[in-house]
Amino acid sequence: MVCILILKPFVFVFNGLATLIFRLLRVPAERDDDITSDDIYAVMDAGAEAGVLDTNEQQMMESVFQMQSIPITSAMTPREDIAFLSLSDDESLLKRKIADNPHHKFLVCDEQLDAIKGFVNSTELLIRLINEQTLDLKSSSVVQSCPIIPDTLSLSEALEYFKSNRVDFAVVMNEYALVLGVVTFNDLQSAAMGSWVLAEGEEQIVARDEHSWLVDGVTPITDVMRTLQIDELPHSQNYETIAGFMMFMLKKIPRRTDSVVFSGYKFEVVDIDDYKVDQLLVTRVDNKGGEKEFVGSKSS
């Protein structure tokens, strides 16, 4: 006990001297145990190189972390692809729309998509048909309240909304109350697990060989970057799909054979549906000697 009391003043002196030396050398006196996202990515890369993680597992884990920064609009079905039912549709038109678009749920609107009244479950409509009841949506009790989320949410925030409200789909709306699209739980799940998990029968990125891929125009740009192992694209906040990337780089509506060369790849439009980029051919090219990458267009 006496030894401890004698040594105590010396401990304070040495602690003070050590703190002073640390400050002069600009060495942190306290240990920083915070782990950043870069640290986690480094651990995953090391695990992949050591063979502990396979490529698919690494991609899935990286996708989960990226969900915090990816906007919900990158995973939704855009408004031009939404099939909706109108309050004014007669029974024959309703049957035709349902037959042409075999979905589990349908939005119900008042003439136009932005005037949403709710949604109906296709199984409910089938039950009414079996019971020989009318499909008049104006007087029907099958129209349910529609979940709506803002387009400012990230994928992780949208997933939390789905969990908290126990819903499996939602309408994405902007600040002007315009419908931008519809997103489902399966869409979020696919975004979380990467481009290699796609909807049934859907392949957005198809490898032709080791150096070329066919890519749908609506493929999220994050999926393209992940597949091609591109770390960064210019001003990526301005677009969400590979078609948007082409429009941004070309500064015009793309036409067939228009092309862009960036990051060692050539992106060429091979199919157009009206003004919509339907398909692109992506080819790995040599960028010898650090040549400056360029944007090119074969058509005016």
Side-chain angles (χ1 to χ4, degrees), residues 41 44-45 57-67 192 226:
Y41 282 122
M44 288 190 293
D45 289 339
E57 289 174 338
Q58 182 187 14
Q59 288 179 351
M60 183 178 70
M61 293 173 68
E62 288 180 354
S63 297
V64 171
F65 284 107
Q66 290 171 357
M67 287 182 71
R226 186 181 302 110

PDB file of all heavy atoms in Angstrom, residues 41 44-45 57-67 192 226:
ATOM      1  N   TYR A  41     -15.187  -2.860 -46.332  1.00  0.00           N
ATOM      2  CA  TYR A  41     -14.913  -3.253 -47.721  1.00  0.00           C
ATOM      3  C   TYR A  41     -13.527  -3.894 -47.836  1.00  0.00           C
ATOM      4  O   TYR A  41     -13.347  -4.876 -48.570  1.00  0.00           O
ATOM      5  CB  TYR A  41     -14.999  -2.044 -48.654  1.00  0.00           C
ATOM      6  CG  TYR A  41     -16.406  -1.633 -48.993  1.00  0.00           C
ATOM      7  CD1 TYR A  41     -16.865  -0.347 -48.721  1.00  0.00           C
ATOM      8  CD2 TYR A  41     -17.282  -2.512 -49.612  1.00  0.00           C
ATOM      9  CE1 TYR A  41     -18.161   0.037 -49.023  1.00  0.00           C
ATOM     10  CE2 TYR A  41     -18.583  -2.144 -49.927  1.00  0.00           C
ATOM     11  CZ  TYR A  41     -19.013  -0.860 -49.631  1.00  0.00           C
ATOM     12  OH  TYR A  41     -20.297  -0.483 -49.939  1.00  0.00           O
ATOM     13  N   MET A  44     -13.679  -7.409 -46.588  1.00  0.00           N
ATOM     14  CA  MET A  44     -14.346  -8.288 -47.551  1.00  0.00           C
ATOM     15  C   MET A  44     -13.440  -8.590 -48.742  1.00  0.00           C
ATOM     16  O   MET A  44     -13.399  -9.728 -49.236  1.00  0.00           O
ATOM     17  CB  MET A  44     -15.669  -7.653 -48.018  1.00  0.00           C
ATOM     18  CG  MET A  44     -16.748  -7.661 -46.953  1.00  0.00           C
ATOM     19  SD  MET A  44     -18.375  -7.177 -47.582  1.00  0.00           S
ATOM     20  CE  MET A  44     -18.093  -5.456 -47.974  1.00  0.00           C
ATOM     21  N   ASP A  45     -12.710  -7.576 -49.218  1.00  0.00           N
ATOM     22  CA  ASP A  45     -11.769  -7.801 -50.326  1.00  0.00           C
ATOM     23  C   ASP A  45     -10.686  -8.796 -49.923  1.00  0.00           C
ATOM     24  O   ASP A  45     -10.325  -9.687 -50.701  1.00  0.00           O
ATOM     25  CB  ASP A  45     -11.124  -6.475 -50.747  1.00  0.00           C
ATOM     26  CG  ASP A  45     -12.096  -5.558 -51.456  1.00  0.00           C
ATOM     27  OD1 ASP A  45     -13.116  -6.069 -51.972  1.00  0.00           O
ATOM     28  OD2 ASP A  45     -11.855  -4.334 -51.509  1.00  0.00           O
ATOM     29  N   GLU A  57     -20.936 -13.997 -52.768  1.00  0.00           N
ATOM     30  CA  GLU A  57     -21.125 -13.565 -51.381  1.00  0.00           C
ATOM     31  C   GLU A  57     -20.594 -12.157 -51.168  1.00  0.00           C
ATOM     32  O   GLU A  57     -21.220 -11.336 -50.484  1.00  0.00           O
ATOM     33  CB  GLU A  57     -20.419 -14.546 -50.436  1.00  0.00           C
ATOM     34  CG  GLU A  57     -21.086 -15.904 -50.338  1.00  0.00           C
ATOM     35  CD  GLU A  57     -20.269 -16.880 -49.516  1.00  0.00           C
ATOM     36  OE1 GLU A  57     -19.040 -16.643 -49.387  1.00  0.00           O
ATOM     37  OE2 GLU A  57     -20.845 -17.856 -49.007  1.00  0.00           O
ATOM     38  N   GLN A  58     -19.445 -11.861 -51.745  1.00  0.00           N
ATOM     39  CA  GLN A  58     -18.859 -10.526 -51.621  1.00  0.00           C
ATOM     40  C   GLN A  58     -19.764  -9.479 -52.259  1.00  0.00           C
ATOM     41  O   GLN A  58     -20.020  -8.416 -51.682  1.00  0.00           O
ATOM     42  CB  GLN A  58     -17.481 -10.486 -52.263  1.00  0.00           C
ATOM     43  CG  GLN A  58     -16.783  -9.127 -52.132  1.00  0.00           C
ATOM     44  CD  GLN A  58     -15.497  -9.055 -52.921  1.00  0.00           C
ATOM     45  OE1 GLN A  58     -15.222  -9.902 -53.767  1.00  0.00           O
ATOM     46  NE2 GLN A  58     -14.698  -8.034 -52.658  1.00  0.00           N
ATOM     47  N   GLN A  59     -20.284  -9.781 -53.462  1.00  0.00           N
ATOM     48  CA  GLN A  59     -21.173  -8.836 -54.150  1.00  0.00           C
ATOM     49  C   GLN A  59     -22.436  -8.591 -53.347  1.00  0.00           C
ATOM     50  O   GLN A  59     -22.917  -7.458 -53.242  1.00  0.00           O
ATOM     51  CB  GLN A  59     -21.518  -9.365 -55.542  1.00  0.00           C
ATOM     52  CG  GLN A  59     -20.365  -9.312 -56.531  1.00  0.00           C
ATOM     53  CD  GLN A  59     -20.747  -9.857 -57.890  1.00  0.00           C
ATOM     54  OE1 GLN A  59     -21.824 -10.433 -58.068  1.00  0.00           O
ATOM     55  NE2 GLN A  59     -19.874  -9.673 -58.855  1.00  0.00           N
ATOM     56  N   MET A  60     -23.006  -9.654 -52.768  1.00  0.00           N
ATOM     57  CA  MET A  60     -24.226  -9.503 -51.995  1.00  0.00           C
ATOM     58  C   MET A  60     -23.987  -8.622 -50.768  1.00  0.00           C
ATOM     59  O   MET A  60     -24.777  -7.723 -50.468  1.00  0.00           O
ATOM     60  CB  MET A  60     -24.756 -10.864 -51.567  1.00  0.00           C
ATOM     61  CG  MET A  60     -26.077 -10.780 -50.804  1.00  0.00           C
ATOM     62  SD  MET A  60     -26.716 -12.400 -50.343  1.00  0.00           S
ATOM     63  CE  MET A  60     -25.524 -12.864 -49.080  1.00  0.00           C
ATOM     64  N   MET A  61     -22.877  -8.849 -50.056  1.00  0.00           N
ATOM     65  CA  MET A  61     -22.580  -8.066 -48.858  1.00  0.00           C
ATOM     66  C   MET A  61     -22.324  -6.605 -49.210  1.00  0.00           C
ATOM     67  O   MET A  61     -22.778  -5.693 -48.508  1.00  0.00           O
ATOM     68  CB  MET A  61     -21.375  -8.667 -48.137  1.00  0.00           C
ATOM     69  CG  MET A  61     -21.639 -10.044 -47.548  1.00  0.00           C
ATOM     70  SD  MET A  61     -20.156 -10.831 -46.875  1.00  0.00           S
ATOM     71  CE  MET A  61     -19.823  -9.779 -45.464  1.00  0.00           C
ATOM     72  N   GLU A  62     -21.624  -6.356 -50.307  1.00  0.00           N
ATOM     73  CA  GLU A  62     -21.382  -4.978 -50.735  1.00  0.00           C
ATOM     74  C   GLU A  62     -22.689  -4.297 -51.120  1.00  0.00           C
ATOM     75  O   GLU A  62     -22.892  -3.115 -50.835  1.00  0.00           O
ATOM     76  CB  GLU A  62     -20.403  -4.955 -51.910  1.00  0.00           C
ATOM     77  CG  GLU A  62     -18.972  -5.302 -51.521  1.00  0.00           C
ATOM     78  CD  GLU A  62     -18.021  -5.261 -52.698  1.00  0.00           C
ATOM     79  OE1 GLU A  62     -18.515  -5.069 -53.823  1.00  0.00           O
ATOM     80  OE2 GLU A  62     -16.801  -5.419 -52.492  1.00  0.00           O
ATOM     81  N   SER A  63     -23.582  -5.048 -51.762  1.00  0.00           N
ATOM     82  CA  SER A  63     -24.875  -4.482 -52.169  1.00  0.00           C
ATOM     83  C   SER A  63     -25.701  -4.059 -50.966  1.00  0.00           C
ATOM     84  O   SER A  63     -26.388  -3.037 -50.994  1.00  0.00           O
ATOM     85  CB  SER A  63     -25.656  -5.500 -53.003  1.00  0.00           C
ATOM     86  OG  SER A  63     -24.970  -5.809 -54.189  1.00  0.00           O
ATOM     87  N   VAL A  64     -25.642  -4.851 -49.894  1.00  0.00           N
ATOM     88  CA  VAL A  64     -26.389  -4.509 -48.680  1.00  0.00           C
ATOM     89  C   VAL A  64     -25.901  -3.190 -48.104  1.00  0.00           C
ATOM     90  O   VAL A  64     -26.700  -2.329 -47.714  1.00  0.00           O
ATOM     91  CB  VAL A  64     -26.256  -5.644 -47.637  1.00  0.00           C
ATOM     92  CG1 VAL A  64     -26.838  -5.216 -46.298  1.00  0.00           C
ATOM     93  CG2 VAL A  64     -26.953  -6.901 -48.126  1.00  0.00           C
ATOM     94  N   PHE A  65     -24.582  -2.970 -48.069  1.00  0.00           N
ATOM     95  CA  PHE A  65     -24.039  -1.707 -47.569  1.00  0.00           C
ATOM     96  C   PHE A  65     -24.406  -0.546 -48.488  1.00  0.00           C
ATOM     97  O   PHE A  65     -24.664   0.568 -48.032  1.00  0.00           O
ATOM     98  CB  PHE A  65     -22.524  -1.812 -47.415  1.00  0.00           C
ATOM     99  CG  PHE A  65     -22.089  -2.590 -46.204  1.00  0.00           C
ATOM    100  CD1 PHE A  65     -21.562  -3.860 -46.342  1.00  0.00           C
ATOM    101  CD2 PHE A  65     -22.241  -2.061 -44.941  1.00  0.00           C
ATOM    102  CE1 PHE A  65     -21.172  -4.589 -45.230  1.00  0.00           C
ATOM    103  CE2 PHE A  65     -21.856  -2.779 -43.817  1.00  0.00           C
ATOM    104  CZ  PHE A  65     -21.318  -4.048 -43.965  1.00  0.00           C
ATOM    105  N   GLN A  66     -24.419  -0.811 -49.797  1.00  0.00           N
ATOM    106  CA  GLN A  66     -24.712   0.255 -50.755  1.00  0.00           C
ATOM    107  C   GLN A  66     -26.173   0.684 -50.729  1.00  0.00           C
ATOM    108  O   GLN A  66     -26.518   1.751 -51.241  1.00  0.00           O
ATOM    109  CB  GLN A  66     -24.342  -0.205 -52.167  1.00  0.00           C
ATOM    110  CG  GLN A  66     -22.836  -0.333 -52.383  1.00  0.00           C
ATOM    111  CD  GLN A  66     -22.497  -0.990 -53.706  1.00  0.00           C
ATOM    112  OE1 GLN A  66     -23.388  -1.412 -54.452  1.00  0.00           O
ATOM    113  NE2 GLN A  66     -21.218  -1.098 -54.003  1.00  0.00           N
ATOM    114  N   MET A  67     -27.047  -0.129 -50.138  1.00  0.00           N
ATOM    115  CA  MET A  67     -28.473   0.197 -50.101  1.00  0.00           C
ATOM    116  C   MET A  67     -28.742   1.523 -49.401  1.00  0.00           C
ATOM    117  O   MET A  67     -29.765   2.150 -49.631  1.00  0.00           O
ATOM    118  CB  MET A  67     -29.261  -0.916 -49.416  1.00  0.00           C
ATOM    119  CG  MET A  67     -29.411  -2.172 -50.249  1.00  0.00           C
ATOM    120  SD  MET A  67     -30.399  -3.423 -49.416  1.00  0.00           S
ATOM    121  CE  MET A  67     -32.036  -2.674 -49.522  1.00  0.00           C
ATOM    122  N   ALA A 192     -30.811  -5.740 -53.241  1.00  0.00           N
ATOM    123  CA  ALA A 192     -29.905  -6.041 -52.132  1.00  0.00           C
ATOM    124  C   ALA A 192     -28.955  -7.181 -52.469  1.00  0.00           C
ATOM    125  O   ALA A 192     -27.793  -7.178 -52.065  1.00  0.00           O
ATOM    126  CB  ALA A 192     -30.700  -6.391 -50.878  1.00  0.00           C
ATOM    127  N   ARG A 226     -21.323  -2.818 -61.032  1.00  0.00           N
ATOM    128  CA  ARG A 226     -20.899  -3.988 -60.264  1.00  0.00           C
ATOM    129  C   ARG A 226     -20.435  -5.108 -61.196  1.00  0.00           C
ATOM    130  O   ARG A 226     -19.401  -5.737 -60.955  1.00  0.00           O
ATOM    131  CB  ARG A 226     -22.053  -4.482 -59.395  1.00  0.00           C
ATOM    132  CG  ARG A 226     -21.688  -5.606 -58.444  1.00  0.00           C
ATOM    133  CD  ARG A 226     -22.881  -6.071 -57.636  1.00  0.00           C
ATOM    134  NE  ARG A 226     -23.463  -4.991 -56.866  1.00  0.00           N
ATOM    135  CZ  ARG A 226     -24.644  -4.448 -57.128  1.00  0.00           C
ATOM    136  NH1 ARG A 226     -25.364  -4.872 -58.146  1.00  0.00           N
ATOM    137  NH2 ARG A 226     -25.114  -3.468 -56.373  1.00  0.00           N
TER     138      ARG A 226
END
